Amino acid sequence: MRISLRAVPLLAALAVSPIATAAQPSSCDLRAQDAQQAGPGCAQVWMDANLRLNDIQVIGTHNSYKLPMAPEELAAHRRRDASGADSLDYGHRPLAEQLDRGVRGLELDIYYDPQGGRYVHPSLPVKQRQAMRKPGFKAMHLSDIDYRSNCQPFAECLRIVRDWSQAHPRHVPITILINAKDGPAAPGAVQPLPFDAAAFDALDAEIRAVFPAGSLIEPEQVRGACASLRHAVRAGAWPTLAQARGRVLFALDESPAKVALYRRGERRVMFVNASDEADADAAYLTLNEPLREAARIAAAVTDGYLIRTRADADTAEARRNDTRRREAALASGAQVVSTDYIEPDARLGDYRVRLDGGAAARCNPRRAAGRCAGLAIEE
């Protein structure tokens, strides 16, 4: 049975997973044009009722699990590939600390390891080696090259997000991008296992095993009774902010071939990266070039799609303190603007990406410009 979040009364939609709601003063005007006009103490109540998931913009991190490479390993890689080494020379704080700092978009690269032990590396700390020996997906960038993670295995990354979410039930929705890594390994590195139908079934099962019923925003919930997911999102079927708070949305950011294979399964957890806005399952798109793809991003956001773009890539913008891509990404309306620099890297300069005041979210500059009146969407 498909459930449409548009068609289900708010309390019923949240019944399986109660989420804290903003207190509503009796004088709130939910028909006001913006949050300021709704009345004193009414801003978040107005936003909950009048904004949808795709009406906000948040900051995300790229390869959110990634720790810096060990100096000697980075130096060895630089001797082989200097520019490639520069592109890997970054890292992130633990996931919970990123969420504490307002990050609401995460990206996890995962490797299939059903037997466990495939990617154990002798230079890892004991605790990480033990985690790598367990069956299940692993979170890392490049096997045997850039393999240090702030959470391991993948299920532990999920538990960290789940626990943080449950402790902060009024957070705006967290989007988690998944890259299913396989393909040819670097010379001498362990060859990843392919993502086949069994791997994708196991991936969905691992996500559902961590996140309780009602805590996820899933494609079938948004599709509801519409003919396709594309029709649903273009008709405004994304959940309201009230329905989306405290919840997590997964998106598979992969090639058309992997997307097609994943879509063959039943009741999938993740939205998929559509290669074309006309695709029946188009709801989410990865459009990582905000300068070159500005017009496409703007049109897709206006039409109701959820977009992720990147403010920087391969450390290049941070090294030059080049803010053009960052400003284009923020202005584009893409709902998730991803970066490697929620804080500056003191070795490189002052480059960073954040919303004004370090806010966790703001009204989307293309879909809801000015409607938040500068007031906090998330306390």
Side-chain angles (χ1 to χ4, degrees):
M1 173 179 171
R2 296 191 179 101
I3 301 175
S4 170
L5 290 180
R6 292 177 303 157
V8 179
L10 177 60
L11 292 179
L14 303 182
V16 293
S17 181
I19 294 174
T21 56
Q24 179 176 346
S26 58
S27 58
C28 287
D29 180 6
L30 299 185
R31 297 185 179 182
Q33 292 299 303
D34 62 46
Q36 183 71 59
Q37 296 179 38
C42 296
Q44 289 203 353
V45 174
W46 182 92
M47 295 174 196
D48 280 358
N50 288 280
L51 298 179
R52 292 188 177 270
L53 180 153
N54 60 332
D55 289 329
I56 64 174
Q57 185 178 66
V58 303
I59 300 300
T61 49
H62 162 250
N63 292 346
S64 310
Y65 56 87
K66 186 179 176 326
L67 290 176
M69 293 178 68
E72 64 277 10
E73 293 170 353
L74 184 63
H77 191 60
R78 181 166 278 117
R79 288 192 292 271
R80 296 190 299 269
D81 180 4
S83 63
D86 280 350
S87 73
L88 300 178
D89 191 12
Y90 66 93
H92 292 294
R93 292 176 177 270
L95 297 184
E97 291 187 23
Q98 293 180 48
L99 294 168
D100 284 341
R101 284 163 170 74
V103 169
R104 296 295 178 266
L106 300 172
E107 181 181 35
L108 301 175
D109 292 345
I110 60 170
Y111 288 73
Y112 187 40
D113 189 16
Q115 304 303 317
R118 188 174 185 82
Y119 303 105
V120 177
H121 197 283
S123 69
L124 286 171
V126 172
K127 185 176 180 181
Q128 285 244 335
R129 290 204 304 272
Q130 292 172 341
M132 296 293 261
R133 291 190 180 101
K134 297 177 181 178
F137 297 92
K138 305 302 187 298
M140 59 181 171
H141 192 208
L142 299 170
S143 63
D144 291 319
I145 296 175
D146 190 13
Y147 49 84
R148 299 179 188 275
S149 175
N150 59 38
C151 56
Q152 199 70 270
F154 171 63
E156 178 60 20
C157 304
L158 298 181
R159 285 190 286 268
I160 291 168
V161 177
R162 177 203 62 197
D163 292 349
W164 188 93
S165 175
Q166 291 177 344
H168 302 81
R170 287 281 298 164
H171 70 76
V172 298
I174 298 168
T175 299
I176 301 180
L177 268 62
I178 298 296
N179 290 326
K181 302 292 282 284
D182 56 16
V190 174
Q191 177 60 45
L193 296 175
F195 269 82
D196 55 14
F200 281 129
D201 288 346
L203 176 56
D204 273 9
E206 197 154 298
I207 294 171
R208 291 192 192 282
V210 173
F211 286 93
S215 63
L216 297 173
I217 298 168
E218 301 181 38
E220 286 298 284
Q221 296 170 344
V222 176
R223 176 180 167 179
C226 289
S228 69
L229 191 54
R230 172 182 176 272
H231 281 89
V233 300
R234 290 174 68 93
W238 289 111
T240 64
L241 194 53
Q243 293 167 312
R245 285 191 190 273
R247 297 189 175 203
V248 177
L249 177 152
F250 284 84
L252 178 64
D253 181 15
E254 268 302 343
S255 66
K258 287 184 190 173
V259 164
L261 179 60
Y262 179 77
R263 285 167 57 181
R264 293 174 194 161
E266 295 292 328
R267 192 172 165 261
R268 287 306 196 188
V269 171
M270 296 186 285
F271 295 82
V272 295
N273 177 29
S275 57
D276 190 301
E277 288 86 329
D279 189 280
D281 278 346
Y284 164 83
L285 294 94
T286 296
L287 299 174
N288 280 334
E289 301 295 335
L291 290 168
R292 191 175 70 239
E293 299 179 294
R296 185 180 179 189
I297 293 173
V301 169
T302 299
D303 287 342
Y305 299 102
L306 191 68
I307 309 296
R308 181 262 202 164
T309 196
R310 290 183 67 178
D312 43 75
D314 302 327
T315 76
E317 285 75 19
R319 292 178 187 279
R320 301 191 304 262
N321 195 25
D322 182 351
T323 61
R324 291 173 299 168
R325 182 171 177 163
R326 178 187 72 189
E327 298 312 310
L330 291 169
S332 71
Q335 288 85 358
V336 181
V337 175
S338 183
T339 180
D340 289 321
Y341 300 96
I342 59 169
E343 297 167 339
D345 183 336
R347 302 170 305 161
L348 304 181
D350 298 329
Y351 179 86
R352 73 183 305 179
V353 180
R354 69 172 187 166
L355 301 177
D356 289 344
R362 69 173 181 175
C363 262
N364 189 290
R366 191 160 297 276
R367 292 188 57 85
R371 301 195 76 198
C372 294
L375 301 174
I377 297 178
E378 181 186 315
E379 296 291 351

